[in-house]
Amino acid sequence: MKFRESANGKVGASKQVVLVRHGESEGQTSAARGLSRDDPALLDCPLTAKGMQQARALWSTGFATPELIVTSPLKRALQTTLLAFPANTAPMVCYPGIKECGGLDGYQIPENIQRPVAQLKQDADLALFEHWPAVDLSMVQDPPMRRPAGEDGEEFVIETDRYHEGRQL
C-alpha cells in the first residue's frame, strides 16, 4: 500500500481512481440503423453486443481490485459496470452526478435521459445480472434530475450538492 502526506501534514493511504466510459451503446450506432439520435426509441438505451464485449474485456486490463465502484444511473453505464466487475465484492453505488448529459441543439437526447428508479429496478436486461440487486440506488432521485444540454454545470452542481447534502459515498 502506498502512503502520502496530505496538505494538513497527515499521512494516509493513497487511493487509485480509475474512470471508465461505458461500452458502445445503441445510441452511438443509431445512424447505422437508420435512427436519429433524438429518436425516443433510444431512451436510456443499452449497450450493443460490441459494447458488452468491451465491458467484459475491461477487467482483463490489469486494474487493481476496486474498493468502491461508482456508476451513472444510465443503463449503458450500469451494464458496463455489471459486466466489467462480475465477481466483485466492492460496494457498487449509483450516482447521478456523473451521468452523461450531452444533447442536440440544446436539448437532452433520449439516450441521456435517466429513467425513474422503479423502472431501473424492473429492467429485464439489468435483472439478468446476479449482483444487480446489490447496486446501491439510494442517491438516485425520483423524478430524475434533468440537466439541460449545454448548461455550464454550475447550477446543476449546486442542485446536486443540495440534494446529496449530508450523504456520503
Side-chain angles (χ1 to χ4, degrees), residues 77-90:
L78 288 162
Q79 286 179 303
T80 299
T81 300
L82 294 164
L83 286 163
F85 305 103
N88 188 65
T89 57

Side-chain angles (χ1 to χ4, degrees), residues 25 31 77 124 139 145 163:
S25 74
M139 288 193 263
M145 265 191 271
Y163 175 75

Side-chain angles (χ1 to χ4, degrees), residues 7 10 20 55 63 66 68-69 72 78 81 83 89 95 104 115-116 126 139-140 142 157 159-160 166 168:
K10 294 184 179 180
V20 176
F63 293 123
L68 174 69
I69 299 169
S72 153
L78 288 162
T81 300
L83 286 163
T89 57
Y95 180 63
L104 301 169
R115 292 176 295 148
L126 297 173
M139 288 193 263
V140 181
D142 268 335
V157 169
E159 179 184 348
T160 304
Q168 290 185 326

